[in-house]
Amino acid sequence: MRVERTEVDGRQWRSTIAAAQAGDRRALDELVAGWLPLVYNIVGRALNGHADVDDVVQETMLRAVDNLGSLRDPDSFRSWLVAIAMRQIRDRARRSRPTAPADEVPSDAADFAELTVLRLQLEGQRREVAEAVRWLDADDRQLLSLWWLEVAGELTRRELAAAVGITRRHAAVRVQRMKERLETARGIVRALDGACPALRELTARWPGRPDSVWRKRLARHIRGCGYCSDARESVVPAERLLVGIALVPLPAGFTLSLAFGGKTAVAATSVGWSAKVMTALTKPAVAVTAGATIAAGGAYVVTQTPQDTPRPPRAATPVVPTATGTPTPPSPSAPSTPPPPPVTKADLYGTVVDAVDRAPDPDARPAALPRRPETGLTSTGGAHAVMNHRGDSVTLTGRGYVLVRWQISPHYRAGALVMPTWTGLKGKLFHVASGGGRRMDDRVSDTDSSATGMGSTATGYAAPPPGTQQMWQNEFFYVDGAVTLTVNERGADYGLSVFPSTWDDVNEDVNYGPPDGAIRYGLVRDTGEDDAPVPQYVTRDRPADPATVPQRSRV
C-alpha cells in the first residue's frame, strides 16, 4: 500500500517562519493557527483525551514559539515541532504521580477516541480502529499518534522515527508490533459489540475502563471462542482505513495561552527567542486569522464551530441544466458519458472548459508538469481545512498550488452529488493535475468487485451530475488571485480537505504509480499556457448561497 505524503510541508512555510522569526505578529499568528491542529491530534491521541492534553499542547506551542529563533532550517519545522510535542508527552509521563496508572483517564476527561468518532463521523471499521486506541498502553498510543498521521498523509516515516528518537529500521519494527496490538484491540472492540454469553459473563466484573489487565483477559477469551473470533465481515487493514482521514478539529473555544508570566525579554532571548518576537507578543495588539485570534497578553482562542452533532440526512436531488436548458435529475447510478462539450473561448481569461475525460491506462506515465510561479497561498482554513458540511468554505489568496482531496461517503448517504463550487474569483484559476494514485471510480476492494471509491452495490453509489468529470482522490489546482471553494452537499455525502501545496508535491504525487502500490499514475492537465482547464462550476459572482451556482461551468 502507498502512504500518502502530506501536503502540509515545511517548505511552503519558509517565508512565514522567516517572518515570524523576524518578529512579524501576523506571521506568528498564521504559524500557530496552521500547526496547532497537528499538535492537538498528536497529543490528544497519545494521551487519549487525558485532562493534561490542553496543558501539553500549550507547553508544546509555547516552547516552539519560545525557541523559534533557534530553528536554522525552516524546511525542518514540522519535524522539529513534532519532536517537541513528543518530548512534552514523555515529560508529562515522567511527572505523573507514580501511584496513578500512566494510562488512566479521569471520568470527566474528554475521550479522544470518542472525539475522533464524533467529529470525523467515522462508521464501521474506521470507528472500530478509533475505539481500539483505548485498549493500547501509553507507549503504543504515543507511537500510534504518529503512525496514524503518517498513513493519513500528515507525517513521513523519517519524521516519525526522528520524533521517537530511533532509526527508520527500528521504527518499522516498533510500528509493526504496535499494529499487532492494535489488531488485538480491534478484535476486543468487535467482540464486545456482539458479545457471546460467556463474554458477557466475563465482562460483568469489568469496571468499564480499558486497561492492560482486561485487554489480556478479553484477548485470551476471544482466541478460544469460536463465536467472538469469527469476524462477520472482511477485516480491512488499519492503514487502509486511516488513509485520507482528516485531522480531528479543535474543540470550540479551545484556548492556548501564549502569555509568558514573569519571563523578561533578556531571559527569552537567552533561550533563542528573538527580541523582535518578544516585542511582537507583548504589544497591546490583536492579530486575527481564520477562526483564531492571538489577543493582547498572548491568549490564543480558537472559535471553530464544533462538529460533534451528526447531520440529519437530506436527500435533495439536484437539478442539472442540460445543453438545452431543460433541468434533468442526475441518475443515482454511475452516469453515462455524453460527448464532451465543444471547446469555447472563455470570457474570463482564455481557458477551455473542463469536461468528461477517460481514465489513463494504469501504466501511462503523466506528462511533464509545467512549473508556474509560486509566491505562496494563504487559506482561511489554515494549513489543513476540513469541510464536511453544506456551506463549509475556504478562501484561497495568493499565487500557488492547492490540493483538494475527496472523501466520498456513500455508506452515510448515496445518490446524486451536488458538486462544490468556486465563487468570487479574482484572477485566474487552473485545474493542473489529478493524482492520489487512483480515480474515485477505481476498484478499492479485492473481495468485492463492485466496490469503488464512489460506493458499492451494498451501499449504493455517489454519482456526479451527467457530463461532469470524474474526480480523483487528489485534485490539484493553481490559483493566481483569490477564490472561494464551497461545499454544496445536499445529495450524496462527501467531504473535502484543502491543503495549500507546492509544485514539488504535485509533481511527486502524480508520478506515484502501480510500482509504488497505487492503482494508476496521475494525470497532468496543465500545458503551462492559459488553455489549461478551469474547474467546473466556477464563477466570478458571489451568490448569497453558493449552492445556487448552476451545476455547469460558467466558463
Side-chain angles (χ1 to χ4, degrees), residues 393-423:
S393 66
V394 60
T395 298
L396 303 161
T397 305
R399 178 185 292 177
Y401 294 90
V402 62
L403 161 66
V404 176
R405 177 180 291 163
W406 281 83
Q407 184 173 359
I408 306 293
S409 305
H411 49 287
Y412 295 149
R413 192 166 63 246
L417 280 168
V418 181
M419 303 294 282
T421 50
W422 301 85
T423 59

Side-chain angles (χ1 to χ4, degrees), residues 5-6 78-79 149-150 154-161:
R5 283 189 75 251
T6 178
R78 183 178 59 197
S79 301
L149 295 175
E150 179 193 0
E154 301 294 337
L155 293 178
T156 65
R157 175 55 59 89
R158 177 182 60 81
E159 290 165 334
L160 181 152

Side-chain angles (χ1 to χ4, degrees), residues 259-404:
F260 296 91
K263 176 175 286 190
T264 65
V266 174
T269 305
S270 69
V271 293
W273 191 13
S274 74
K276 290 183 178 180
V277 174
M278 182 69 183
T279 302
L281 276 179
T282 54
K283 284 181 179 178
V286 177
V288 180
T289 60
T293 301
I294 294 182
Y300 183 96
V301 183
V302 174
T303 57
Q304 181 168 345
T305 303
Q307 307 288 330
D308 293 355
T309 306
R311 290 160 289 170
R314 300 182 64 181
T317 302
V319 174
V320 184
T322 63
T324 60
T326 304
T328 59
S331 169
S333 59
S336 59
T337 304
V343 176
T344 59
K345 272 289 184 181
D347 58 359
L348 292 183
Y349 43 84
T351 62
V352 296
V353 175
D354 203 356
V356 175
D357 58 6
R358 179 177 297 177
D361 184 89
D363 295 318
R365 298 300 297 260
L369 179 69
R371 188 184 287 271
R372 292 180 177 272
E374 298 177 72
T375 57
L377 287 177
T378 60
S379 167
T380 57
H384 184 165
V386 180
M387 303 192 294
N388 289 319
H389 303 275
R390 181 187 178 195
D392 288 351
S393 66
V394 60
T395 298
L396 303 161
T397 305
R399 178 185 292 177
Y401 294 90
V402 62
L403 161 66
V404 176

Side-chain angles (χ1 to χ4, degrees), residues 58-59 61-62 254-260 297-301:
Q58 175 167 299
E59 186 65 21
M61 299 306 294
L62 175 61
F254 182 92
T255 301
L256 180 64
S257 174
L258 294 183
F260 296 91
Y300 183 96
V301 183

Side-chain angles (χ1 to χ4, degrees), residues 69-351:
S70 66
L71 179 66
R72 295 183 178 180
D73 180 11
D75 289 350
S76 64
F77 176 81
R78 183 178 59 197
S79 301
W80 177 75
L81 180 63
V82 172
I84 293 174
M86 295 307 295
R87 281 198 298 271
Q88 296 311 307
I89 291 168
R90 290 191 288 267
D91 287 349
R92 172 261 174 194
R94 285 193 291 268
R95 293 193 304 267
S96 296
R97 291 170 298 150
T99 56
D103 56 350
E104 179 182 342
V105 178
S107 59
D108 60 345
D111 185 330
F112 202 82
E114 183 178 356
L115 293 179
T116 302
V117 169
L118 289 175
R119 292 185 181 153
L120 299 184
Q121 299 187 4
L122 303 184
E123 293 288 348
Q125 293 190 37
R126 284 190 173 91
R127 180 183 186 121
E128 174 187 283
V129 172
E131 294 179 341
V133 176
R134 299 186 179 112
W135 290 94
L136 297 180
D137 294 333
D139 288 346
D140 278 338
R141 283 204 306 269
Q142 291 178 24
L143 183 59
L144 177 69
S145 71
L146 300 175
W147 180 72
W148 184 305
L149 295 175
E150 179 193 0
V151 296
E154 301 294 337
L155 293 178
T156 65
R157 175 55 59 89
R158 177 182 60 81
E159 290 165 334
L160 181 152
V164 181
I166 56 179
T167 65
R168 293 182 64 177
R169 179 171 295 184
H170 189 193
V173 174
R174 288 274 308 275
V175 166
Q176 183 58 38
R177 291 173 180 170
M178 179 273 297
K179 286 166 58 179
E180 292 170 358
R181 288 187 281 270
L182 179 63
E183 289 305 317
T184 298
R186 290 180 66 188
I188 292 173
V189 172
R190 197 159 45 244
L192 290 175
D193 192 44
C196 71
L199 183 60
R200 288 197 295 270
E201 181 179 353
L202 175 63
T203 55
R205 302 187 301 276
W206 176 43
R209 188 183 68 244
D211 58 39
S212 57
V213 174
W214 276 96
R215 183 184 67 225
K216 293 174 183 177
R217 289 177 182 174
L218 298 179
R220 186 163 53 246
H221 166 84
I222 292 169
R223 285 195 298 270
C225 176
Y227 180 85
C228 292
S229 62
D230 179 28
R232 258 67 72 183
E233 60 178 319
S234 177
V235 178
V236 180
E239 53 265 47
R240 288 181 56 187
L241 295 170
L242 301 183
V243 168
I245 286 185
L247 296 175
V248 175
L250 292 163
F254 182 92
T255 301
L256 180 64
S257 174
L258 294 183
F260 296 91
K263 176 175 286 190
T264 65
V266 174
T269 305
S270 69
V271 293
W273 191 13
S274 74
K276 290 183 178 180
V277 174
M278 182 69 183
T279 302
L281 276 179
T282 54
K283 284 181 179 178
V286 177
V288 180
T289 60
T293 301
I294 294 182
Y300 183 96
V301 183
V302 174
T303 57
Q304 181 168 345
T305 303
Q307 307 288 330
D308 293 355
T309 306
R311 290 160 289 170
R314 300 182 64 181
T317 302
V319 174
V320 184
T322 63
T324 60
T326 304
T328 59
S331 169
S333 59
S336 59
T337 304
V343 176
T344 59
K345 272 289 184 181
D347 58 359
L348 292 183
Y349 43 84
T351 62

